[in-house]
Amino acid sequence: MISADVVVAGCRQLLTCAGPLPKRTAALGDVGLVENGWIASRRGAIVFAGTEEEFRRTVRMEPDAGTVDGAGLVALPGFVDCHTHLPFAGRREREFGLRLRGWSYRELAAQGMGIQTTVRATRAATPDELRELCLKRLDRMLLSGTTTVEAKSGYGLNFEDEIKQLEVLRGLAGRHPVDVVPTFMGAHEIPPEHRSKREDYIRLLIDTLIPEVRRRGLAEFFDVFCEEGVFSLEETRALVEAAQAAGFRIKIHAEEFVALGGAELAAETGAASAEHLIAVSDRGIARLAESGTAAILLPGVSFFLMLDKRAPARRLIDAGAAVALATDFNPGSSHLLSMPFVLQLGVFTLKMSVEEALNACTGNAAYAIDRHRAVGSLEPGKRMDLVLCDIPDYVSLAYEAGRDPVRTVIKDGKVVVEDGRRVDGR
Ligand code: NIG
Ligand code: FE
């Protein structure tokens, strides 16, 4: 018999999302559905997921074990938000207003607004202020079922303030149930003080920041915004090579607006992911499909910027790419942090099936940040990170459009959200 200290009993449906990761093509359509599913864990690690009959035959509950009633609820893996710009300060309502009056996102950026606005506010914030902002956002993410989040720096754009953002991220560990995976994105933009001599900023990144962030162990991934008017393909290549030499794994913001070849570069250099891909070329799709590089799609951006163009999710999936979905939570191009909403955008705006969108928000998202051995599916050995949704059938994750169905969240085997409220004392 297997012993367990927590069980979620009798879920109307249990979606394990089990199977080898990343999922591609047909496998993306399989969510491991178990009707009347039971799932048990011990010390935060899953020991069983399956049917009631099998549970009764193989699992023994420890004397003080806790039971969560899954009756009438749909259980799924905790969401993994694999692309966010979490640690920023300030707000951009004024610029949002200008956009509503016809300005484009890129016109705002060209006028010294956009990312630069947030850089000014983030530089001015103290570490304590930044930490409080992050904790509040993590609270909201957790209520919507996110249990692991990737978080990028990139609003400091100098030594002191990039380190400040990354240290704030490190300080979140142990203060909040959501696990945070840090990415160094000093190459998010050229800061204003280096505008007339961009090479100097690239040298600062390569000679000082990349080695120093690595030496301090402040981030696992390095990300760069490869885009017309930001970092060119050649600059991106130089940065990627320096970051790989220092020991980082790579992510590239690629083809958000213009196809420069960032997707091909990501595949060629064995990057963990290429992200955005709204304008990705046929060649980029083919290179990603034959690589281990995840294609992270961020449908919140086309939605929030009201673009007619969307990432070609269907073509990427049909070609065989490892497609993941994420919020891109940031104050300018995607000011949203709900993964259930992103799942719905995946279905309604990218034409993904509900099954594909769910795998893209869980297992494939975990793969994109190298956490797939620990989270992203409900299988023995992985963390007991689980969401219970108040819907009659998992298809309602999308069918009940606009609804956030998350009712209970369990993190590492501990109930942290119940009836839509935090119950772990924060
Ligand atoms: O992922 N693309 C670059 N960076 C963010 C937007 C940042 C901002 O507008 O503040 C993004 O879309
Ligand atoms: Fe982004």
Side-chain angles (χ1 to χ4, degrees):
M1 294 290 265
I2 311 164
S3 38
D5 56 22
V6 171
V7 63
V8 182
C11 306
R12 184 196 300 252
Q13 293 179 329
L14 166 65
L15 309 181
T16 65
C17 296
L21 292 171
K23 295 191 174 188
R24 301 174 191 267
T25 53
L28 256 181
D30 181 5
V31 288
L33 171 65
V34 184
E35 304 280 351
N36 183 25
W38 290 54
I39 174 161
S41 64
R42 183 161 185 271
R43 300 202 180 136
I46 297 169
V47 292
F48 173 88
T51 62
E52 175 168 11
E53 190 268 321
E54 215 183 327
F55 174 84
R56 298 209 183 279
R57 211 161 22 83
T58 56
V59 183
R60 186 182 55 83
M61 296 306 294
E62 291 179 357
D64 296 329
T67 302
V68 176
D69 186 5
L73 302 173
V74 174
L76 26 128
F79 292 114
V80 176
D81 191 348
C82 61
H83 178 145
T84 83
H85 300 260
L86 181 73
F88 65 84
R91 302 176 60 84
R92 306 231 292 261
E93 281 100 337
R94 205 179 74 82
E95 296 179 22
F96 180 56
L98 291 174
R99 278 209 297 112
L100 294 180
R101 273 180 268 140
W103 289 57
S104 79
Y105 177 72
R106 301 216 298 155
E107 281 162 0
L108 290 171
Q111 296 292 319
M113 292 184 264
I115 293 174
Q116 308 282 3
T117 302
T118 304
V119 169
R120 287 188 285 276
T122 305
R123 286 179 176 177
T126 67
D128 285 351
E129 288 164 350
L130 213 46
R131 180 183 319 106
E132 274 316 300
L133 286 167
C134 289
L135 288 170
K136 285 207 181 89
R137 292 166 187 156
L138 290 177
D139 283 347
R140 287 171 52 209
M141 288 172 165
L142 185 66
L143 290 175
S144 289
T146 297
T147 47
T148 300
V149 67
E150 184 259 12
K152 304 174 197 293
S153 70
Y155 289 117
L157 305 186
N158 60 30
F159 186 87
E160 203 186 320
D161 294 300
E162 283 295 311
I163 299 280
K164 175 177 78 184
Q165 282 192 287
L166 292 168
E167 283 179 341
V168 164
L169 291 178
R170 174 146 77 189
L172 298 172
R175 281 199 166 88
H176 201 281
V178 176
D179 284 322
V180 177
V181 176
T183 294
F184 170 49
M185 200 177 177
H188 193 191
E189 174 62 293
I190 302 279
E193 62 274 19
H194 287 287
R195 276 294 164 95
S196 54
K197 244 184 141 215
R198 51 191 295 120
E199 320 82 73
D200 287 358
Y201 185 61
I202 296 172
R203 281 258 65 87
L204 175 71
L205 286 170
I206 292 177
D207 295 342
T208 310
L209 267 158
I210 288 175
E212 192 55 24
V213 168
R214 195 62 202 165
R215 196 184 64 75
R216 298 189 192 193
L218 284 170
E220 197 170 321
F221 295 96
F222 174 83
D223 197 343
V224 41
F225 191 8
C226 179
E227 183 62 51
E228 198 176 84
V230 193
F231 292 93
S232 70
L233 187 65
E234 282 326 302
E235 289 167 345
T236 301
R237 185 185 288 278
L239 289 161
V240 164
E241 279 168 9
Q244 279 182 322
F248 283 102
R249 285 209 68 200
I250 304 301
K251 295 179 159 283
I252 302 181
H253 274 59
E255 353 285 25
E256 180 174 359
F257 301 108
V258 179
L260 296 185
E264 290 92 319
L265 180 65
E268 177 198 321
T269 55
S273 56
E275 332 206 343
H276 282 288
L277 304 172
I278 294 173
V280 67
S281 68
D282 291 346
R283 222 175 89 97
I285 292 177
R287 291 292 98 83
L288 286 174
E290 67 202 16
S291 75
T293 300
I296 302 181
L297 310 184
L298 308 160
V301 174
S302 296
F303 171 80
F304 198 77
L305 295 184
M306 296 172 272
L307 306 177
D308 295 328
K309 279 192 82 174
R310 302 188 172 96
R314 281 262 54 89
R315 282 165 56 219
L316 281 157
I317 291 171
D318 296 343
V323 169
L325 289 170
T327 59
D328 194 15
F329 172 65
N330 76 71
S333 66
S334 189
H335 198 225
L336 51 97
L337 43 65
S338 156
M339 286 298 285
F341 182 52
V342 165
L343 187 152
Q344 295 181 356
L345 290 175
V347 171
F348 286 100
T349 70
L350 302 185
K351 312 268 166 67
M352 295 169 75
S353 70
V354 179
E355 293 83 359
E356 288 168 342
L358 181 59
N359 278 315
C361 289
T362 55
N364 276 13
Y367 171 79
I369 53 170
D370 200 25
R371 287 296 184 280
H372 53 297
R373 287 168 213 89
V375 299
S377 63
L378 301 173
E379 295 175 84
K382 290 201 179 182
R383 305 306 301 164
M384 180 71 147
D385 291 358
L386 169 145
V387 166
L388 289 170
C389 297
D390 184 12
I391 39 177
D393 181 281
Y394 77 86
V395 176
S396 283
L397 286 168
Y399 179 53
E400 298 197 16
R403 173 166 175 205
D404 182 339
V406 173
R407 185 151 131 185
T408 300
V409 182
I410 298 179
K411 180 76 184 83
D412 290 318
K414 194 166 168 259
V415 178
V416 287
V417 173
E418 209 176 291
D419 282 329
R421 291 229 180 88
R422 287 291 291 282
V423 289
D424 59 334
R426 199 187 125 82

